[in-house]
Amino acid sequence: MPPRNYTSEIRSRHAADTRRVIIKAARELFARQGYTRTSVAEVAAAAGVAVNTVYTSVGGKSALILAMTEDSAADAVGSDSLQRIATLDDPREILRVTAEGTGTVQRRQQKTLTILLDNRNADPDIAAAADLATRFVQERFGIIAERLIETGGVRPELTRTQIEQTLWFYFGFDAWRTVRGMGWTWPDATEWLATQAAHALLPPAA
């Protein structure tokens, strides 16, 4: 029995490694030559596997773009930020951690997000993946909004929905693309977005 389990573990690791290589190859090709112009055969060649392996490991092109999105959404930085936020009682610190976390994820997952955001209106597969990424981030902002309310430090007239929408406005995909598009450094963008979100969500300092 132990040898069989050991063999199964090796196969599982190999399958996971193959899947990662395929998704990485797809990401590079989609970013370089576009989603619609990239074939599954090209992904297979770039990954160094057979075409059938792409289908059995991940799936067709729509599955590849969704897998890329899910992998990006699962970036550990986002989860780590939420864990830190759950321990914080200072709303300004919560907003700072939110800014740092979302900025780091944007930087680490920039290639995938560029594929999604630049092509979401051109292909239904991309649109579905972009919607998935948006929902995932907004769900996390909902959790952060709840924590901000629990601290008692936000403006009392704001509803949970308004807080969540404000977080999306300042820390969502388009916000980061805008400040980065203006040539701001990541640290400058992080500080500015956190400061503006604090102005919008917190009472004026006494």
Side-chain angles (χ1 to χ4, degrees):
M1 186 64 66
R4 183 177 299 175
N5 289 339
Y6 178 72
T7 301
S8 178
E9 290 174 4
I10 292 176
R11 289 176 177 172
S12 295
R13 287 199 298 269
H14 178 70
D17 290 342
T18 299
R19 184 180 185 277
R20 280 192 291 271
V21 170
I22 291 170
I23 292 173
K24 180 180 179 181
R27 182 184 293 112
E28 296 294 330
L29 286 171
F30 292 163
R32 185 167 66 247
Q33 62 190 40
Y35 176 77
T36 58
R37 292 191 295 274
T38 300
S39 67
V40 173
E42 288 175 307
V43 172
V49 300
V51 171
N52 187 57
T53 302
V54 175
Y55 284 105
T56 57
S57 296
V58 184
K61 285 176 62 176
S62 60
L64 285 167
I65 197 69
L66 284 175
M68 284 171 43
T69 304
E70 290 168 352
D71 280 5
S72 295
D75 192 305
V77 171
S79 299
D80 291 345
S81 295
L82 286 182
Q83 290 177 6
R84 290 179 60 193
I85 287 169
T87 68
L88 298 174
D89 295 316
D90 182 350
R92 291 185 183 275
E93 182 67 6
I94 289 173
L95 293 175
R96 186 189 66 78
V97 172
T98 301
E100 290 179 351
T102 55
T104 300
V105 172
Q106 287 277 329
R107 185 165 65 250
R108 285 160 57 106
Q109 304 299 334
Q110 191 169 18
K111 192 165 290 185
T112 296
L113 289 171
T114 298
I115 295 168
L116 296 179
L117 300 178
D118 286 353
N119 299 280
R120 57 185 167 186
N121 296 324
D123 187 280
D125 291 342
I126 300 288
D131 288 345
L132 175 65
T134 297
R135 288 196 303 272
F136 191 89
V137 174
Q138 289 178 336
E139 286 173 2
R140 286 188 165 176
F141 285 159
I143 296 171
I144 297 170
E146 289 285 357
R147 183 61 194 147
L148 284 167
I149 293 171
E150 290 170 359
T151 68
V154 294
R155 288 165 46 193
E157 71 271 19
L158 295 176
T159 66
R160 180 191 181 280
T161 298
Q162 289 172 322
I163 296 170
E164 182 179 339
Q165 290 173 343
T166 302
L167 292 172
W168 175 255
F169 182 85
Y170 285 108
F171 304 120
F173 302 143
D174 291 333
W176 282 105
R177 282 165 66 89
T178 297
V179 292
R180 287 292 295 159
M182 293 188 295
W184 294 16
T185 65
W186 287 104
D188 287 346
T190 299
E191 181 178 357
W192 188 85
L193 290 171
T195 299
Q196 298 309 309
H199 288 328
L201 293 172
L202 309 183

